[in-house]
Amino acid sequence: MIDWIPVAGSTRVVAEAYDAEAERILVRFREGVEWWYGACPPSVWAQFTAPGQSRGQFIHQVLDHKPNGRYAG
């Protein structure tokens, strides 16, 4: 089961989660769409969730260049 973490202060992202076994970052966008980003070791998750990090910018600059797709839960 995925433990979604609410995200405050983002204009795009409302929740996030990390699947350590699959090394995937999961993102729930404001529209309700959930997306996965693969090839994300714990260091990438730490960068993504760092205080002050813009989730939208990180997705655009880093995660969009990794394997990704719609998350079906």
Side-chain angles (χ1 to χ4, degrees):
M1 182 172 146
I2 298 297
D3 291 325
W4 289 94
I5 304 164
V7 174
S10 174
T11 58
R12 291 185 63 197
V13 177
V14 296
E16 61 198 12
Y18 185 63
D19 181 344
E21 187 174 313
E23 290 194 336
R24 290 195 305 184
I25 292 174
L26 307 170
V27 177
R28 182 179 296 143
F29 293 97
R30 292 212 174 273
E31 310 82 34
V33 174
E34 295 175 349
W35 213 257
W36 64 267
Y37 299 92
C40 295
S43 61
V44 174
W45 170 246
Q47 292 169 14
F48 180 64
T49 57
Q53 174 62 57
S54 167
R55 302 303 197 265
Q57 286 182 4
F58 194 88
I59 290 167
H60 177 69
Q61 294 171 353
V62 178
L63 297 184
D64 280 344
H65 301 283
K66 294 184 172 289
N68 66 80
R70 190 157 184 168
Y71 181 65

